[in-house]
Amino acid sequence: MKLLSLQKAAGYWDIDSKLLSVFGKTENELIQKRPAQVDNAVWVTIVALIWLHSFKKPEQEEWKFIAIKATSWSRSRKATEYQQQKHLVGKLSECIQAGKALLESEVKEENLGL
């Protein structure tokens, strides 16, 4: 799966034309849906997790460790942001809802492990 090869070593994804093609979205669509004051890497990583859980569930054995790494990175960002600025903690649910809307997904928030 192309998405797996685009993940950074730390566990997050960046906006990239190859990633956008996986999602079937333009950069403009992705940026317009991003909640205010949310880092692009956090936003794209959440969208990637939603995409995996929504559209690649049958292949979960192939991507579950990649998702664990992304979830761990997201949690570490959440802890860091909470200590420094306290704005990301309340934004994760907003990001998940926006990501679900972007991808037209019905995945449940609790399934993402965030």
Side-chain angles (χ1 to χ4, degrees):
M1 287 192 324
K2 189 189 282 189
L3 180 69
L4 305 183
S5 68
L6 298 172
Q7 187 182 42
K8 303 298 181 189
Y12 65 92
W13 283 271
D14 274 331
I15 295 177
D16 167 288
S17 62
K18 293 176 187 172
L19 183 67
L20 293 169
S21 72
V22 169
F23 296 154
K25 303 294 177 190
T26 66
E27 185 173 352
N28 194 36
E29 288 174 303
L30 196 66
I31 296 300
Q32 284 181 347
K33 291 284 186 181
R34 184 190 72 206
Q37 299 178 342
V38 173
D39 179 77
N40 278 342
V42 171
W43 167 236
V44 175
T45 299
I46 290 171
V47 172
L49 286 169
I50 292 168
W51 187 85
L52 287 169
H53 283 276
S54 299
F55 304 108
K56 294 297 178 183
K57 192 72 172 165
E59 294 94 356
Q60 188 170 6
E61 284 301 311
E62 294 177 35
W63 56 260
K64 69 181 179 183
F65 295 111
I66 298 296
I68 290 169
K69 189 174 186 179
T71 301
S72 176
W73 179 84
S74 296
R75 286 182 183 161
S76 73
R77 292 286 300 176
K78 184 167 102 173
T80 301
E81 292 290 328
Y82 182 75
Q83 292 170 353
Q84 293 175 356
Q85 300 169 13
K86 300 183 182 180
H87 77 271
L88 183 61
V89 175
K91 293 286 185 177
L92 282 179
S93 282
E94 188 179 343
C95 284
I96 292 167
Q97 295 310 311
K100 287 173 53 174
L102 175 73
L103 298 175
E104 300 176 5
S105 169
E106 297 293 325
V107 71
K108 294 181 179 175
E109 186 170 337
E110 59 269 13
N111 291 346
L112 299 175
L114 296 169

